[in-house]
Amino acid sequence: MGMNSVTNIGRNGIQDWIIQRVSAYVLAFYTLFLLGFFVTTDVDYQSWSALFDQAWFKIFTLLALLSIGAHAWVGLWTVSTDYIKSAMQRFLFQAACILVIFVYVVWGIQIIWGL
């Protein structure tokens, strides 16, 4: 139980369920917005750059990036606790997942904000 409580992003199943649902809605809205943008805009470098020059879109993209990280973590944590029975293998898998998600989120932030 100690390893689960340390590696689990939420404190219980309800919190994980809420994280999954909220992050799924954010990702759905972001996807729908992008689909609408692609359908209604002649997308080229200038239009894409103009979209990303707007602070509200950078924040929306950051929210989507954080949502995909949280959504992936809860899903991977759930799958790993269900299917990886060895505590050490599960810990190593979860640690690798955390590292990859962290790197992608930091890298995404650098890309979004031009750091």
Side-chain angles (χ1 to χ4, degrees):
M1 171 108 182
M3 191 174 317
N4 288 348
S5 64
V6 169
T7 58
N8 190 357
I9 195 170
R11 297 191 181 183
N12 59 48
I14 297 294
Q15 290 174 340
D16 288 347
W17 186 86
I18 291 170
I19 289 167
Q20 285 293 89
R21 295 319 172 270
V22 170
S23 63
Y25 277 113
V26 169
L27 294 170
F29 289 136
Y30 190 77
T31 301
L32 290 173
F33 175 84
L34 285 180
L35 285 173
F37 179 78
F38 284 121
V39 167
T40 61
T41 306
D42 183 25
V43 180
D44 57 9
Y45 177 78
Q46 286 75 25
S47 62
W48 191 248
S49 181
L51 179 62
F52 271 93
D53 282 342
Q54 300 179 56
W56 71 266
F57 189 71
K58 286 183 179 183
I59 293 168
F60 191 22
T61 302
L62 177 62
L63 183 60
L65 179 64
L66 295 173
S67 292
I68 202 166
H71 194 90
W73 170 244
V74 172
L76 289 167
W77 180 87
T78 301
V79 169
S80 68
T81 55
D82 285 349
Y83 293 104
I84 303 175
K85 298 305 176 191
S86 166
M88 182 54 72
Q89 288 176 342
R90 185 174 54 245
F91 173 77
L92 292 173
F93 175 81
Q94 291 173 350
C97 289
I98 290 169
L99 179 63
V100 169
I101 291 169
F102 176 77
V103 167
Y104 281 142
V105 168
V106 170
W107 189 18
I109 291 168
Q110 289 177 326
I111 293 168
I112 294 166
W113 296 99
L115 301 174

